[in-house]
Amino acid sequence: MSDTERKYTDFGYELVRETLLPELLNEEEDEIMYWGGKLIARKHPLDSVDDIPSFFERAGWVRSV
């Protein structure tokens, strides 16, 4: 199965983001998520602000409209 064929549910994403990660990261969660966001932004730079919606769609973090 290719990456483009994989389908993740919102519920599955929420389980990891809202339940598992906070439990694993404890009081370090905010700082780790901040640095993780910076890392992603550096490794996947966008050419303009207009590219943000398509980036989130490709990442599966928002549904296509």
Side-chain angles (χ1 to χ4, degrees):
M1 179 179 283
S2 74
D3 288 339
T4 56
E5 293 173 354
R6 292 185 188 159
K7 299 294 179 195
Y8 300 99
T9 65
D10 291 338
F11 178 64
Y13 175 76
E14 281 182 41
L15 283 174
V16 172
R17 170 80 178 175
E18 305 298 329
T19 305
L20 182 60
L21 284 178
E23 190 69 27
L24 292 173
L25 303 177
N26 293 313
E27 65 274 352
E28 313 297 332
E29 178 185 10
D30 290 340
E31 189 170 342
I32 291 171
M33 296 303 280
Y34 169 79
W35 287 106
K38 281 184 76 167
L39 175 71
I40 290 170
R42 288 179 178 155
K43 290 196 177 259
H44 300 278
L46 303 177
D47 294 325
S48 75
V49 173
D50 296 331
D51 295 335
I52 294 172
S54 63
F55 174 82
F56 276 76
E57 286 177 23
R58 285 192 327 270
W61 295 341
V62 68
R63 292 180 195 209
S64 310
V65 288

